[in-house]
Amino acid sequence: KGGESLITPIFLHFRDIRTGRMFFAMRNSTGDGPFRSLYDLKGCADDKAIMMDGKPVKAVHKRIWNVSMWCGKVNWTEERLRYYEGKQLARSVEFAMTAAQRSKFLEALQRDTAWLASQQLMDYSLLVAIKEGPQGSFSDGDLQGYRPLRRELSDGRETVIYASIIDILQKWTNGKKVARCIKACESDKATIPPDFYASRFSNAFKERSHDAAAGEAADPTKVPRSVAPPAGR
């Protein structure tokens, strides 16, 4: 109500009777790949890249029971190194849009986060997918229903950004409050109250989006140089 929304519609929310597990079905907000880049962003330390340079990034977490991962990068696998690089990139990536596109994006972002906070919801993400291709690659028919931000690059190619808010069903529960206490020493965490989460979320992407210079790439931050693989690999 009141304008366009970035929130991805949820069509079905159900429980599996046999297992008791909860599921939901939501709209595909990015279309089909391949993507040049794909990010799952919360505006905090949980930001990550799902795809870089058209290649998927496998999640390899540094869990407390993975003792070897706490002894320096020399013990990391190539998959862990790539996942870490993706997180570093996601924390700093910026998005270039036209002035008109950015204005609409920020208006929707502010409106959506205010509503989510009013519903005591938090821990949602901004899913950002970027595609590039020759002039005419993205026809109106292909883009119908997705509302991407399309722009021409200096070399005559086209770029499109798909940006949507996903995973909006997490309430600020007692369990989340306990998790916040457990992670008291962790800075920039996702487990914070809805009002603070909404404010940080909207401010983060206001700062990390800007009016595009002529022909500027959609995500101009450079992919970090690959870290050398561990010795002996």
Side-chain angles (χ1 to χ4, degrees), residues 142-157:
D142 293 336
L143 302 179
Q144 189 173 8
Y146 293 111
R147 293 182 301 180
L149 309 178
R150 177 165 55 176
R151 187 167 52 82
E152 187 173 326
L153 301 176
S154 58
D155 60 1
R157 291 162 57 82

Side-chain angles (χ1 to χ4, degrees), residues 1-7 104-105 107-109 111-112 147:
K1 184 178 179 180
E4 292 187 3
S5 174
L6 299 173
I7 297 174
K104 288 186 177 180
F105 168 75
E107 285 177 9
L109 183 67
R111 187 166 45 244
D112 289 342
R147 293 182 301 180

Side-chain angles (χ1 to χ4, degrees), residues 44-60:
C44 68
D46 286 356
D47 289 354
K48 62 184 178 182
I50 301 173
M51 185 171 287
M52 296 190 299
D53 289 337
K55 298 178 182 178
V57 178
K58 181 180 178 180
V60 182

Side-chain angles (χ1 to χ4, degrees), residues 55-173:
K55 298 178 182 178
V57 178
K58 181 180 178 180
V60 182
H61 300 286
K62 189 179 177 182
R63 302 303 192 195
I64 191 170
W65 55 83
N66 292 329
V67 179
S68 63
M69 288 193 182
W70 294 87
C71 300
K73 293 181 183 178
V74 69
N75 295 308
W76 289 4
T77 63
E78 292 181 23
E79 287 181 336
R80 167 61 189 174
L81 287 167
R82 180 169 168 77
Y83 179 64
Y84 177 76
E85 287 182 356
K87 286 187 67 67
Q88 295 299 106
L89 173 63
R91 290 300 308 279
S92 60
V93 69
E94 297 182 4
F95 303 102
M97 313 169 182
T98 68
Q101 289 172 346
R102 183 168 182 264
S103 178
K104 288 186 177 180
F105 168 75
L106 293 179
E107 285 177 9
L109 183 67
Q110 183 65 38
R111 187 166 45 244
D112 289 342
T113 52
W115 181 81
L116 290 165
S118 74
Q119 302 302 307
Q120 290 294 289
L121 296 166
M122 42 77 70
D123 208 17
Y124 40 85
S125 298
L126 185 71
L127 183 67
V128 181
I130 296 172
K131 295 181 180 180
E132 288 183 0
Q135 188 75 26
S137 295
F138 310 107
S139 68
D140 291 337
D142 293 336
L143 302 179
Q144 189 173 8
Y146 293 111
R147 293 182 301 180
L149 309 178
R150 177 165 55 176
R151 187 167 52 82
E152 187 173 326
L153 301 176
S154 58
D155 60 1
R157 291 162 57 82
E158 289 181 328
T159 182
V160 293
I161 300 177
Y162 302 80
S164 55
I165 296 175
I166 62 170
D167 298 340
I168 64 167
L169 298 182
Q170 180 58 60
K171 285 275 192 179
W172 181 239
T173 62

